[in-house]
Amino acid sequence: MNEGTKPDLQRASALALGSTGPLAAALEDFAPRQGQLIMAQAVAQALTEQTPLMVEAGTGTGKTLAYLTPVVASGLKTVVSTGTKTLQDQVAQKELPLLGRVVAPGLRWAVLKGRGNYLCPRRYLAFAAQPDLGLPGALSGLAALESWRRRSQSGDLDEVRGEAVGEALLAEITANAEQCLGGRCEHREDCPLMEARRRAAEADIVVVNHHLFLADLRLKAEGRGEALPRYQAVIFDEAHMLPEVATAIFGVGVSERRLSVLLKDMTREVGPDQRMDQAARAVEQEGREFFGALRALAGPSGHRGLGPDELARIAPLAGALGAALEELAQAVSRLEGEEAKSIAARAGAVAMDLQAAVAPAPGHTVAWIERRGRGVAINLSPVEVGPHLEHALYQEIGRLVFTSATMAAGDDLGPMIRRLGLPEETRRHIVGSPFDQARQSILYVPRRMPMPADSAFTSAVAEQVRAILRLSRGRAFVLFTSHRNMEAVSAMLTPELEYACLVQGQAPRLELLRRFVELSPSVLFATASFWQGVDVPGPALSAVIVDKLPFAPPDDPLVAARMALLESRGHNGFAHLMVPEAILGLKQGLGRLLRTPHDRGVLAVLDNRLLTKPYGRRFLKALAPAPLTSDLADVARFFAGRQAEPPSQN
């Protein structure tokens, strides 16, 4: 596309989204939105000029159609990368079919997920031939899978995932990146993943998630193949989630589970061999020593950075485990078959990752340990993801759009641009929400609360939550920055509340959300995973109550390293990292409340540092124009006014 086509693409986008366009003609309730038109034309310009664009588009803007419309008009092979499965499904099942029906007949699109979402025929047939009868529900799950296989067109396990086919069984019949044999597999012609990739190669638009997109970037950067077809443009929706996903993708990790799965697959797929079995026993022994040392270092918190002293203590144990893995790789490589080659390569990869994890580069990478259920892992994470993205993506392609409802802590997108390592010429737009936040919402912050570190804080939170729930008549998310506070407050209130009470951990996330709506009026007690990517329009959610400002733990090894890096560059780490990140977290909370023009609700922050600390003004400015009050009587009047509102149509 050349410069001369810019007016055409912008004009086509404006026409499609305008009052006389095909969308208006096809949809009875369609109405042009000024913010949507502004965003669509900015996207059209970015695609034409091949210049990255970052745009924050407030809830209700209609940002999905705002970026898809110029993409469709451009004819460019485009990847749309989302942060959540909910949005991935929405794009593929709602907006793209709509555009294909009324704007671009013949439009082809495909959804591509990670390997773990597709049945692996090789592993499935091997497990079915010798099922692990110690696995709960193995036989009934296999029967359900066989019936599903005969009728499924996609091989996408989301179609059958659930009670009959649990996560433990799914782990046995799917293949991760290490377990997949790729083009060397004898079942490649019947592989649902390969078929999904073929459909993606033929599509005009491919819808993926951030994990898959970034994993593909890493594969290409390391010369190890690719998971996605070649593309000409990328749209990152829910782009505020990219930094943390990139941190995980561009790091390495060695866990007890990774080691045990390797040995289990070796036994199942390669068969007995004296030298191999002897080497495997050595790996098991050295693994117990190494992970035992990690468990002792992790302590009760289960999450700890590794400094020079700790690394010096575990380095010899890591070296011994690495040597045992190398010996295993040599023993298995003597054997014939693609499975043996794969196991040997995996053992060598674990040894290499282990060597890297115990040798971080100060200022660039951080080594840390964490408990994962009953296991433990050592991780190596980049302090900054920008250099990785610049090398793998920005140098290769210019048509990049980053969008989300929350990316600017105030009115400045600069911090997010810098965190993602985008070039300075990146265009930036902030499109406000069309919702009337001053009328639809209210911000409640009590003046008299103990400080969060005070032992009386938890009881005071419970008292405030109790009072707010009486006014909201339930219909609330009560969100916490720690599991400990969530468990304490929910234990205090659940026995006495007259509403259905749900607590994170009682059921999977999507199941809890389904119950929250079905049992309304209800109350959900939860932690960080419910701060974003949750859509509950209508009166079922009328209050979001936050116990305290969502600052990252200062002893988090990655946070500490990022703050130190900022301070080495002359910036205040707290002001430039922790405050903006916490502001974005609260904006996400407010975003849970207002999903339609008819929604109304209260955001309650039970942390009076908003009122007493100088940085509190930055939070209040970012949450404006929601009116601020410290008087529960104002909250009562707000909810009394709600009775006169027209019922939600959603």
Side-chain angles (χ1 to χ4, degrees):
M1 188 177 296
N2 56 51
E3 180 67 20
T5 66
K6 178 175 70 172
D8 295 332
L9 185 53
Q10 290 184 311
R11 191 181 305 116
S13 303
L15 176 63
L17 295 168
S19 59
T20 60
L23 290 169
L27 302 175
E28 289 184 10
D29 58 350
F30 182 85
R33 308 180 207 182
Q34 185 63 26
Q36 187 178 59
L37 288 167
I38 291 172
M39 178 175 170
Q41 297 209 333
V43 172
Q45 183 177 10
L47 295 176
T48 300
E49 298 182 351
Q50 302 189 44
T51 302
L53 167 70
M54 179 172 286
V55 53
E56 179 179 277
T59 305
T61 301
K63 61 182 171 62
T64 311
L65 284 178
Y67 63 70
L68 284 178
T69 302
V71 161
V72 168
S74 74
L76 296 166
K77 175 86 172 189
T78 302
V79 171
V80 176
S81 180
T82 72
T84 60
K85 183 179 181 298
T86 300
L87 182 57
Q88 192 176 15
D89 289 343
Q90 176 190 315
V91 171
Q93 298 173 15
K94 182 181 176 184
E95 275 86 2
L96 285 173
L98 171 64
L99 290 172
R101 188 172 70 251
V102 304
V103 174
L107 180 69
R108 299 169 299 173
W109 66 91
V111 175
L112 189 57
K113 300 179 181 179
R115 287 182 178 85
N117 289 279
Y118 298 100
L119 181 84
C120 171
R122 178 180 66 85
R123 287 175 56 80
Y124 168 75
L125 293 172
F127 186 83
Q130 291 184 307
D132 180 357
L133 299 181
L135 193 70
L139 294 181
S140 59
L142 283 171
L145 282 166
E146 187 57 33
S147 173
W148 164 78
R149 273 189 86 201
R150 288 195 293 268
R151 64 179 187 275
S152 176
Q153 299 295 312
S154 69
D156 185 346
L157 287 162
D158 280 340
E159 297 172 353
V160 72
R161 191 187 308 266
E163 292 184 9
V165 182
E167 295 302 317
L169 177 55
L170 289 173
E172 300 292 340
I173 52 94
T174 56
N176 61 28
E178 291 187 321
Q179 293 166 327
C180 180
L181 299 182
R184 296 177 288 117
C185 181
E186 62 179 331
H187 297 281
R188 59 187 177 276
E189 295 302 322
D190 303 317
C191 176
L193 173 62
M194 294 295 185
E195 177 58 29
R197 288 181 175 177
R198 283 190 284 270
R199 289 195 297 269
E202 297 169 355
D204 304 307
I205 298 175
V206 184
V207 185
V208 303
N209 58 57
H210 296 338
H211 283 85
L212 177 57
F213 183 88
L214 293 172
D216 174 70
L217 277 190
R218 180 169 179 175
L219 283 173
K220 290 173 181 172
E222 296 175 352
R224 296 190 291 123
E226 56 189 30
L228 301 180
R230 297 291 175 173
Y231 45 81
Q232 298 167 289
V234 187
I235 310 291
F236 295 101
D237 204 340
E238 299 173 313
H240 65 280
M241 302 171 72
L242 273 172
E244 292 309 314
V245 178
T247 298
I249 293 296
F250 290 109
V252 299
V254 179
S255 65
E256 280 185 290
R257 173 169 173 74
R258 184 180 176 189
L259 194 65
S260 67
V261 168
L262 168 67
L263 296 175
K264 182 178 180 180
D265 288 349
M266 180 195 71
T267 301
R268 176 186 296 170
E269 298 177 9
V270 179
D273 175 84
Q274 184 175 1
R275 181 180 167 188
M276 181 188 75
D277 293 343
Q278 183 178 353
R281 287 192 292 272
V283 169
E284 287 181 323
Q285 176 59 37
E286 299 298 347
R288 280 193 293 271
E289 295 287 336
F290 175 70
F291 290 113
L294 290 189
R295 192 173 284 104
L297 280 173
S301 70
H303 192 273
R304 178 176 177 176
L306 294 172
D309 292 343
E310 293 88 356
L311 288 167
R313 286 167 55 187
I314 64 171
L317 297 174
L321 176 55
L325 283 161
E326 293 287 2
E327 177 60 33
L328 177 63
Q330 292 178 17
V332 179
S333 65
R334 298 167 36 252
L335 306 176
E336 294 186 357
E338 295 299 336
E339 287 82 358
K341 292 179 184 177
S342 174
I343 294 294
R346 287 168 60 183
V350 176
M352 289 181 60
D353 287 349
L354 189 59
Q355 182 181 23
V358 296
H364 298 282
T365 53
V366 175
W368 54 286
I369 52 179
E370 65 172 335
R371 287 186 182 272
R372 296 179 179 175
R374 289 177 292 181
V376 68
I378 183 169
N379 303 288
L380 184 76
S381 300
V383 177
E384 294 182 294
V385 298
H388 294 275
L389 293 171
E390 180 183 12
H391 170 71
L393 181 61
Y394 308 153
Q395 292 180 0
E396 301 295 324
I397 187 169
R399 297 185 185 100
L400 302 168
V401 176
F402 300 79
T403 186
S404 170
T406 50
M407 285 194 294
D411 56 3
D412 181 13
L413 289 167
M416 183 63 76
I417 284 175
R418 288 188 290 274
R419 188 166 182 198
L420 288 171
L422 282 161
E424 280 301 313
E425 64 266 24
T426 298
R427 296 184 181 275
R428 42 196 100 178
H429 284 271
I430 296 179
V431 180
S433 170
F435 297 161
D436 186 355
Q437 293 185 12
R439 182 188 65 84
Q440 291 179 248
S441 62
I442 187 171
L443 172 63
Y444 169 70
V445 185
R447 287 195 175 276
R448 295 180 177 83
M449 283 289 289
M451 291 295 287
D454 193 308
S455 60
F457 180 73
T458 303
S459 296
V461 166
E463 183 179 343
Q464 286 285 335
V465 172
R466 184 185 295 113
I468 296 166
L469 291 178
R470 278 199 296 266
L471 299 175
S472 68
R473 294 180 288 118
R475 304 179 302 159
F477 283 178
V478 187
L479 303 178
F480 299 85
T481 57
S482 72
H483 281 85
R484 183 179 63 184
N485 281 3
M486 178 193 75
E487 291 163 0
V489 173
S490 62
M492 291 180 198
L493 296 181
T494 297
E496 67 180 68
L497 292 175
E498 58 184 295
Y499 317 107
C501 291
L502 307 167
V503 181
Q504 183 177 329
Q506 290 177 338
R509 186 169 181 266
L510 292 177
E511 175 64 16
L512 284 176
L513 287 172
R514 184 187 65 78
R515 292 183 195 174
F516 178 81
V517 174
E518 287 186 357
L519 299 175
S520 183
S522 55
V523 179
L524 173 65
F525 297 89
T527 60
S529 64
F530 284 84
W531 288 61
Q532 58 187 2
V534 175
D535 191 0
V536 185
L541 180 61
S542 297
V544 171
I545 307 170
V546 178
D547 70 332
K548 59 183 179 180
L549 298 177
F551 288 121
D555 58 349
D556 180 287
L558 274 169
V559 172
R562 287 169 181 157
M563 289 180 68
L565 185 63
L566 281 168
E567 287 165 4
S568 73
R569 296 171 177 171
H571 301 295
N572 181 290
F574 180 77
H576 283 77
L577 178 67
M578 294 190 71
V579 170
E581 290 295 306
I583 289 173
L584 290 179
L586 275 190
K587 287 179 69 174
Q588 285 285 335
L590 182 59
R592 298 314 96 212
L593 277 174
L594 305 182
R595 310 304 294 175
T596 77
H598 302 298
D599 290 342
R600 298 176 79 249
V602 170
L603 174 64
V605 183
L606 308 180
D607 186 339
N608 63 10
R609 288 179 293 179
L610 274 176
L611 308 175
T612 62
K613 298 293 185 181
Y615 57 74
R617 291 191 292 271
R618 294 176 62 184
F619 284 86
L620 296 177
K621 181 181 179 181
L623 295 172
L628 171 67
T629 184
S630 296
D631 189 346
L632 279 171
D634 289 332
V635 178
R637 281 189 285 273
F638 179 85
F639 279 118
R642 196 196 193 304
Q643 307 304 317
E645 288 292 315
S648 171
Q649 300 303 309
N650 296 277

